[in-house]
Amino acid sequence: MAREIQQLKAGRLSITCIDAKNIRGRIDDSKGGLSPYLLFRLNGTERTSKTGNQLGHDVLFNNEVILFDLPQPKETELIIEVCDDESNESVGRATFSIADVLTSGAGKSFAETLQVIKPGDTTTNSVVNLKFSFVEAKVGVVKLRLDSAESATTDDDGTTKDSYTIISTPDGQSKRASLSDYGNNALGFWMDPTNWFSDFSIQTYK
């Protein structure tokens, strides 16, 4: 396992929530009275889906996408809990090793049908259908082009001022774009696994 984890690269894991089949509460019922959602646990982080649309004992999750940013992947076991929105209790669990996903090529996706085991059970006919993909955090220059901006403003004394935009990253990179840059000049930012997961800060001044 240690060797396997050492080979994993930083990036973003995408999980598309498709549907679940034959999902039942801890006490079986004939009509299906749950309001299920999915809880994901990976690398000490939790993500939850929206409550799905239930059709009897089946659930549609409308292809909602769950994202995990993985700057330093520490484990490969993803835990998926099917939970009831009303009680927040888990009514079943599935596990999946994401090792193959994290080492796959760009653009490759994995459709998986995973068994959902109820607490205390060892067998099941309940499943959840998910799709996985991974984008590696690569090193390089990101080109950012601004398409439009507000026009120039006029002060009370009649002085005309052009608006401008400051774009910056948390690691200290900062670029200024004036009106003449919009739609023309692209701004370059160096990206690597240390800042790949951070948001750009965009501020416009008049």
Side-chain angles (χ1 to χ4, degrees), residues 112-163:
E112 300 288 341
T113 298
L114 307 177
Q115 289 189 326
V116 177
I117 306 291
K118 289 176 60 175
D121 289 350
T122 57
T123 60
T124 183
N125 58 358
S126 302
V127 298
V128 60
N129 290 298
L130 305 170
K131 186 168 67 175
F132 299 87
S133 61
F134 181 71
V135 177
E136 181 184 340
K138 294 187 176 181
V139 173
V141 175
V142 171
K143 295 289 187 178
L144 182 63
R145 188 186 306 277
L146 303 178
D147 290 330
S148 61
E150 295 183 7
S151 61
T153 59
T154 303
D155 286 347
D156 294 336
D157 61 2
T159 303
T160 300
K161 291 184 177 180
D162 286 338
S163 61

Side-chain angles (χ1 to χ4, degrees), residues 20 24 35 56-57 70-71 97 188 196:
R24 299 174 181 270
S35 299
H57 291 290
L70 304 174
S97 173
W196 194 85

